[in-house]
Amino acid sequence: MDWEDCYQKNECPWDKGSPSPGLVDFLEAECGLVPGTVCVPGCGSGHDVREWVRHKFHATGFDISPTAVELAKTKMAEANVEADFQVADFLAETPSARFDWVFEHTFFCAIQPEQRDRYVESVLRWLKPGGDYLAVYYLLQEDGGPPFPSDQDEIMERFTPKFNLKREWVPRSYPNRTNLELMAWWTPKP
Ligand SMILES: C[S@@+](CC[C@H](N)C(=O)[O-])C[C@H]1O[C@@H](n2cnc3c(N)ncnc32)[C@H](O)[C@@H]1O
């Protein structure tokens, strides 16, 4: 998948122009969380990063597409918020400092199934021991992706050997994704 080409052609149907409704609700409900550092891999144009910042977290968005990162920086300046955006391959790179949180939205499903064990290892590599991994997974069956198929059983099978599940729930979603998303809040096993 040539993500950079999609952003250059502005062919990004996943970008709904606003943060994940599930994330918005989570941050409103969990207003007692101590703001820490957040890594948002596959951040796209940065809507979710800006939402974390709105709640006083120190969020950094990473994307493999330089055009996405430039777009995210432009939107950040327009919104007059302070966040960091960097070009990075989440599956291949190691951060200079690990994060209190890793948050992902419509990213797991963008990863080819044969790369998903690497994805699980990458979350562990970018997250501090004892940190929090929060995900808004997009569940769907159609093949030919991305998005590639993923379902709740696969997600539980891949993550439970390495993570303890704190909570899972069906979030509020964009209108065309109602009941097609799953949120899960994990912490790495000691
Ligand atoms: C389906 S889009 C979701 C974007 C954003 N999270 C959203 O929901 O609007 C997947 C994103 O992951 C990025 N991406 C794909 N592979 C990546 C990788 N290995 N490392 C970092 N970003 C990657 C793509 O460029 C794209 O922005």
Side-chain angles (χ1 to χ4, degrees):
M1 172 75 176
D2 188 341
W3 296 101
E4 174 61 9
D5 191 53
C6 294
Y7 282 100
Q8 285 192 8
K9 292 179 175 157
N10 195 22
E11 291 172 358
C12 306
W14 55 84
D15 190 325
K16 307 301 182 197
S18 59
S20 156
L23 175 64
V24 171
D25 292 351
F26 176 84
L27 289 173
E28 289 295 339
E30 300 291 337
C31 53
L33 291 173
V34 177
T37 57
V38 188
C39 162
V40 183
C43 65
S45 63
H47 304 297
D48 298 319
V49 173
R50 295 194 302 279
E51 188 63 16
W52 282 97
V53 170
R54 211 167 68 75
H55 287 267
K56 313 288 182 227
F57 287 78
H58 302 279
T60 307
F62 296 91
D63 205 285
I64 203 164
S65 159
T67 299
V69 167
E70 281 314 305
L71 184 61
K73 286 180 176 173
T74 301
K75 288 183 180 292
M76 174 185 70
E78 286 168 359
N80 200 21
V81 296
E82 279 194 28
D84 195 15
F85 290 97
Q86 296 177 25
V87 177
D89 181 344
F90 182 69
L91 298 184
E93 296 182 34
T94 299
S96 52
R98 291 156 92 180
F99 291 83
D100 298 313
W101 290 78
V102 170
F103 170 75
E104 82 113 294
H105 168 210
T106 323
F107 184 42
F108 181 81
C109 66
I111 303 295
Q112 292 185 327
E114 56 269 28
Q115 298 280 330
R116 287 180 178 165
D117 284 342
R118 258 180 99 191
Y119 177 92
V120 175
E121 292 302 327
S122 300
V123 176
L124 290 169
R125 201 170 60 248
W126 287 71
L127 190 61
K128 287 180 185 171
D132 292 278
Y133 164 48
L134 181 69
V136 184
Y137 302 111
Y138 184 30
L139 309 178
L140 72 171
Q141 296 304 322
E142 302 97 64
D143 210 344
F148 299 99
S150 62
D151 62 26
Q152 187 167 2
D153 288 347
E154 184 208 347
I155 289 163
M156 293 303 143
E157 272 169 34
R158 287 194 189 272
F159 286 96
T160 47
K162 301 283 173 74
F163 290 83
N164 289 321
L165 185 63
K166 293 173 97 162
R167 197 187 335 148
E168 65 174 312
W169 65 101
V170 176
R172 184 170 64 89
S173 296
Y174 304 119
N176 69 342
R177 289 193 194 160
T178 300
N179 293 325
L180 292 175
E181 291 184 315
L182 174 72
M183 278 189 82
W185 186 5
W186 307 89
T187 191
K189 289 188 172 171

